Amino acid sequence: MSARNLLADPICSETELGKPIPDSPHAVSVALPRWQDVVGYEEGRPEVLGRLASGYPRFVIHPLVQALAKRLGDGAPCLPFPSRRAAQTCAEFVRRSSRNGAEVVAGDGLHGVRTSEAGSPFLKAFWQHTGMIVSSRRAEAVLTGRRSAIDDAGVRRSLRRQLAAFYDCAPDDVFLAPSGMAAQFAALQAVRMRQPGHPTAQLGFPYVDTLKLQQKLGDGGILLHDLESLSRDLRRLLARQPLAACFCEFPGNPLLGSANLREIAPLLRGHRVPLVVDDVVATPCNVDLGPYADLVATSLTKYIVGTGDAMGGALIVNPRSPLYRELRPFVEDRHEELLWGEDAAVVEAHAHTFPGRVREQNRNGLAIAERLRRHTRVERVWYPKWEFSEAYDAVRRPDGGWGSLITFLPKDAETRAAQVYDALAVCKGPSLGTLFTLACPFTLLAHYGELEWAESCGVSRYLIRISVGLEDADELWRRFEAALSVA
């Protein structure tokens, strides 16, 4: 946590636009305290972008990483990558997608990709979609010539042991990655090696980069967004189209509905199609995906870190899967140890308190969700306890809860959503899973360039998503009541 107590003193005033959340050089969120700030950020307005001290690292290139890129690029657009293989894959993507040149350059123990101005958007797209990033801690170490003072290999071993305990697997079945999206990318690479040339399918409304990753760096991504008809739609798809895998978020984000894994998994296993599940919102403390998932791709950045100041991901090969012996060699073949040791040390330290924090956040999340649901100025609340609850409860652990992520729509949202968001006295910016409550207008942040498409899938542009933290629930609710009473 930063010196500022964000539980009691959130970063939420309009004068704090662009401040890092938390107050750390390695913060993964940034203050967007007003609705118009989010719009300005998405539209690239200089008065907003010029105030940003940081941002989510896959979307906003950290100043330390920019400095490193400038050193590697020698005046040309450039980004650093954590390995030669990652840089080569990026360069191939830029050349293929933009028909512009891209070359791998080396320096400072890293590899970068240098391209033209025309190739730059594709360079940034690869960084964003794959999550194959160089962290701010690694950039800082390179720029200052600092050597790691920790036992990198030992820290990673300890982290794998902790994650293995959460996922009921062996430490060797846990493959660490620089980010959650890098874990998804590792899963995509593995299933493509197993079934080259076959598309994948996304089950349920997707987090933006999960689908883009399949579409742009896979062999095509087919979206089946409707959870109501998902089993039927999937059965029809499998009858006409071989698939390399299906990807699924459990529960989905932002509508927090859960796919019926009891129906889907047997159907996929009958066709020997792997199921890759993203459990970030639920967490392994709340759900046991072992009977159904073949691979679990997760972000360590969110609940496991909790403090919002380190990136990391993990791909778990499920030993209970009938495809385990097939999939594991493909995952292992492409794996590189790219989670920077200093980031791994932060994740490892916070993983010890992760289960206890999740239990408390479960209680707070349920308390706030129930009160929002009863409030006369709230049109609708989405929360796993009520959205396709039977599917969620089928995998909920005996002592598991429904998590702390809530999405709600104020009444008269077209005129009131911005007012409620602006008045809400919690930290406001991207990401989730932090110790402190964090809010954002999710659809604007994730789908600003495709709002009509999102709304055609039932995702309103006026949604407000809340990641509930460890504040006193009654005190936190008073802040929500005050915001909802505005206008």
Side-chain angles (χ1 to χ4, degrees):
M1 288 286 285
S2 61
R4 178 170 174 174
N5 181 357
L6 298 181
L7 300 175
D9 184 18
I11 298 174
C12 60
S13 74
E14 63 182 84
T15 60
E16 296 179 298
L17 167 65
K19 281 193 172 183
I21 304 175
D23 182 14
S24 161
H26 307 295
V28 305
S29 190
V30 63
L32 297 170
R34 297 173 298 173
W35 196 274
Q36 70 186 51
D37 298 329
V38 178
V39 173
Y41 165 75
E42 290 295 332
E43 294 183 349
R45 295 177 191 170
E47 65 271 22
V48 175
L49 297 187
R51 296 275 298 276
L52 301 187
S54 66
Y56 199 76
R58 288 191 299 102
F59 294 86
V60 178
I61 308 301
H62 193 281
L64 292 170
V65 176
Q66 289 183 37
L68 193 57
K70 186 176 181 181
R71 183 189 286 187
L72 285 168
D74 194 27
C78 181
L79 281 175
F81 290 92
S83 74
R84 174 183 288 276
R85 180 190 283 176
Q88 289 172 335
T89 305
C90 175
E92 291 165 5
F93 171 77
V94 173
R95 289 192 289 263
R96 182 176 69 250
S97 303
S98 70
R99 299 185 179 179
N100 283 271
E103 62 174 331
V104 176
V105 294
D108 298 313
L110 288 170
H111 294 83
V113 174
R114 186 165 57 197
T115 186
S116 63
E117 289 297 334
S120 182
F122 300 92
L123 175 63
K124 292 177 180 175
F126 182 90
W127 173 281
Q128 175 185 324
H129 298 327
T130 68
M132 296 296 284
I133 66 171
V134 169
S135 76
S136 55
R137 283 184 176 85
R138 184 169 187 178
E140 183 180 53
V142 172
L143 291 168
T144 61
R146 187 186 74 242
R147 293 189 176 185
S148 177
I150 62 171
D151 175 8
D152 292 1
V155 164
R156 293 190 192 101
R157 280 196 302 271
S158 177
L159 177 55
R160 281 194 293 269
R161 282 196 298 269
Q162 290 195 69
L163 294 174
F166 299 149
Y167 286 98
D168 306 314
C169 67
D172 288 348
D173 292 328
V174 177
F175 295 85
L176 301 176
S179 68
M181 282 310 304
Q184 296 274 1
F185 186 43
L188 180 64
Q189 289 177 305
V191 299
R192 290 184 71 210
M193 288 173 68
R194 179 177 175 267
Q195 292 285 350
H198 291 176
T200 54
Q202 175 69 36
L203 310 182
F205 186 81
Y207 173 67
V208 57
D209 288 308
T210 307
L211 183 59
K212 302 295 186 193
L213 181 68
Q214 296 170 64
Q215 292 173 335
K216 295 183 179 183
L217 286 119
D219 295 299
I222 301 165
L223 176 61
L224 304 178
H225 80 272
D226 190 349
L227 293 181
E228 290 279 5
S229 60
L230 184 56
S231 296
R232 181 175 68 251
D233 295 342
L234 179 59
R235 189 174 288 105
R236 289 172 176 169
L237 177 61
L238 289 167
R240 68 175 187 268
Q241 170 69 64
L243 298 174
C246 286
F247 286 73
C248 176
E249 294 156 37
F250 193 95
N253 184 8
L255 298 185
L256 299 169
S258 300
N260 190 334
L261 301 185
R262 290 179 301 177
E263 290 184 359
I264 290 167
L267 178 60
L268 292 177
R269 287 176 178 176
H271 290 263
R272 299 190 61 75
V273 174
L275 177 61
V276 184
V277 183
D278 176 346
D279 71 340
V280 170
V281 173
T283 81
C285 293
N286 288 325
V287 299
D288 176 12
L289 298 175
Y292 306 109
D294 300 297
L295 299 171
V296 177
T298 197
S299 171
L300 309 178
T301 309
K302 312 301 194 300
Y303 287 96
I304 289 179
V305 171
T307 49
D309 63 349
M311 295 285 285
L315 179 63
I316 291 89
V317 186
N318 178 16
R320 288 184 272 175
S321 162
L323 299 177
Y324 172 79
R325 293 188 183 278
E326 280 188 62
L327 289 169
R328 197 181 183 286
F330 290 116
V331 174
E332 191 167 27
D333 181 71
R334 295 290 301 181
H335 180 67
E336 298 179 279
E337 287 288 9
L338 302 182
L339 179 59
W340 182 241
E342 293 177 11
D343 293 298
V346 176
V347 179
E348 193 276 340
H350 291 302
H352 291 282
T353 61
F354 162 63
R357 285 187 277 111
V358 167
R359 284 192 293 272
E360 191 170 345
Q361 286 177 282
N362 285 342
R363 289 192 292 270
N364 284 356
L366 179 58
I368 298 300
E370 288 178 333
R371 292 175 183 184
L372 282 170
R373 203 178 189 208
R374 294 194 297 265
H375 200 282
T376 57
R377 292 196 169 193
V378 172
E379 183 70 33
R380 184 168 176 191
V381 174
W382 290 264
Y383 187 63
K385 185 177 181 181
W386 307 307
E387 298 300 314
F388 298 87
S389 58
E390 186 177 340
Y392 184 94
D393 286 342
V395 298
R396 185 162 61 91
R397 294 186 186 272
D399 58 347
W402 295 275
S404 68
L405 200 67
I406 306 164
T407 300
F408 75 97
L409 184 70
K411 283 191 175 175
D412 305 314
E414 187 173 352
T415 56
R416 294 192 64 249
Q419 296 170 337
V420 172
Y421 178 79
D422 292 357
L424 190 55
V426 300
C427 290
K428 287 175 276 190
S431 200
L432 59 94
T434 46
L435 310 179
F436 46 87
T437 295
L438 191 58
C440 71
F442 179 82
T443 317
L444 295 189
L445 270 179
H447 301 285
Y448 194 78
E450 50 189 19
L451 290 174
E452 289 76 16
W453 168 79
E455 291 190 323
S456 74
C457 296
V459 181
S460 168
R461 70 185 67 195
Y462 301 111
L463 298 180
I464 299 174
R465 193 192 70 182
I466 309 294
S467 173
V468 178
L470 299 179
E471 297 90 344
D472 176 81
D474 291 335
E475 195 280 326
L476 183 60
W477 175 244
R478 286 191 284 272
R479 302 187 210 175
F480 278 92
E481 278 193 311
L484 288 165
S485 69
V486 171

